[in-house]
Amino acid sequence: KKLSTDLSFTRPAVGGSFVHRFGPRYQLVASLMLGGIKGSDKESADPNDDDAAFRYVRNLSFRNRIQELSVVGQVDLFENQATYISRVRWTPYVYAGVAVFHHNPQAQVPSTDLQGNALSNKGEWVDLKPLKTEGEDYKLIQAAIPFGIGARFRINELMDIAGEFGFRYTFTDYLDDVSQNYVDPAQLDGELARAMAYRSNDVEGVSTKVDEIIADPYTADGYTTVRGYGRAGDQRGTNEKDLYMVTTVRLTYIINRNYHRAKFR
């Protein structure tokens, strides 16, 4: 699975957290985050690149809205040896922990089904899990391991600002509803499921390599597909666990004003 760093697919997220400090270096952070991820073969794969052209012809796309609850431990590089009110001006840190999240991959309905008939809900975002586009049933509530690095800066006695860059290693390969192989179109339940599972018929020739790939159609059971796509056993994904990146700007306000109890020893 290729790691995508296309910033055009970055989506905003909002959240809140509660931080408890245990000593001069250690913090425990509980967070709730609401955000989203998105991807598109047609927009991210270069049809003029011989390797990327195959992904361009696959032509799958998705969006996924994620609600994540996490608990992580942070370890500061610089110690706070005095009271928290006189903490260090800044410190880098690392973090890792556990998370549970809910997700729901969706995609937009194309204009026609695999037989060329117009679909009445063209352009509508539909849930992909009920369609079982690969014949598999996966869970929408999953676990993840968050980890990353950050730096925290003191604004004043009661406020800090921090920037973080991290990853979420998940235990599912279906954040994008793509994991293993195509199933035979005849085995899918309805024209909508077939249209969402296979999108290569929508691809037009835009490069020599793409022209070469789509110029070899295959017809069986009344469905015409690009050879190598859309049939039982044809590769659709890579069967590797999904990973997504999170960039965070966190503003922290100290709610415990009992400064005498905040002294580190």
Side-chain angles (χ1 to χ4, degrees):
K1 180 160 294 190
K2 184 177 179 179
L3 181 65
S4 174
T5 55
D6 190 336
L7 294 180
S8 67
F9 294 128
T10 301
R11 288 295 175 266
V14 296
S17 59
F18 179 81
V19 182
H20 183 73
R21 180 170 286 275
F22 287 97
R25 286 186 188 270
Y26 308 109
Q27 297 185 113
L28 191 66
V29 183
S31 301
L32 175 64
M33 181 187 70
L34 310 177
I37 56 177
K38 182 182 179 181
S40 169
D41 287 338
K42 189 173 184 180
E43 295 180 42
S44 62
D46 182 0
N48 296 300
D49 182 288
D50 284 355
D51 292 329
F54 290 96
R55 189 157 62 94
Y56 184 90
V57 173
R58 186 180 66 168
N59 195 35
L60 296 176
S61 60
F62 80 102
R63 75 176 184 188
N64 199 334
R65 293 168 177 167
I66 295 175
Q67 300 90 46
E68 176 193 278
L69 180 64
S70 64
V71 178
V72 303
Q74 290 183 356
V75 181
D76 295 346
L77 179 62
F78 305 146
E79 288 188 355
N80 286 285
Q81 293 293 358
T83 61
Y84 194 72
I85 194 173
S86 57
R87 63 198 178 279
V88 294
R89 292 188 176 276
W90 79 282
T91 181
Y93 59 86
V94 296
Y95 69 88
V98 295
V100 61
F101 67 94
H102 177 272
H103 73 111
N104 186 30
Q106 298 178 317
Q108 285 184 290
V109 176
S111 56
T112 63
D113 61 23
L114 265 60
Q115 296 179 324
N117 301 312
L119 292 169
S120 60
N121 54 344
K122 170 188 173 182
E124 178 183 335
W125 289 95
V126 297
D127 296 344
L128 294 172
K129 178 182 183 295
L131 301 178
K132 295 184 179 181
T133 55
E134 292 186 358
E136 299 288 336
D137 190 17
Y138 50 86
K139 297 183 183 301
L140 296 183
I141 296 178
Q142 295 282 345
I145 299 176
F147 60 94
I149 60 175
R152 186 172 60 257
F153 300 85
R154 173 180 169 176
I155 299 176
N156 56 39
E157 291 180 349
L158 295 177
M159 297 184 70
D160 287 342
I161 189 169
E164 294 178 3
F165 179 74
F167 294 90
R168 304 297 190 266
Y169 177 84
T170 75
F171 298 91
T172 178
D173 192 30
Y174 280 103
L175 293 186
D176 53 4
D177 193 66
V178 179
S179 177
Q180 302 182 53
N181 299 323
Y182 289 93
V183 296
D184 196 283
Q187 297 178 359
L188 294 172
D189 186 13
E191 294 304 325
L192 179 60
R194 285 184 270 273
M196 302 307 289
Y198 171 79
R199 301 296 296 271
S200 297
N201 280 354
D202 298 335
V203 175
E204 298 179 354
V206 294
S207 70
T208 301
K209 186 62 176 181
V210 170
D211 287 342
E212 177 186 322
I213 296 171
I214 66 177
D216 189 19
Y218 172 72
T219 301
D221 300 322
Y223 299 101
T224 300
T225 59
V226 174
R227 193 173 296 273
Y229 299 79
R231 296 291 167 172
D234 289 342
Q235 185 176 356
R236 191 169 186 263
T238 58
N239 196 23
E240 297 175 4
K241 302 305 181 186
D242 286 328
L243 186 80
Y244 62 96
M245 295 180 290
V246 177
T247 302
T248 305
V249 176
R250 174 179 287 113
L251 185 65
T252 304
Y253 181 77
I254 303 170
I255 59 176
N256 183 357
R257 301 191 180 190
N258 187 347
Y259 305 127
H260 297 291
R261 293 178 58 189
K263 185 175 179 61
F264 303 125
R265 300 183 184 279

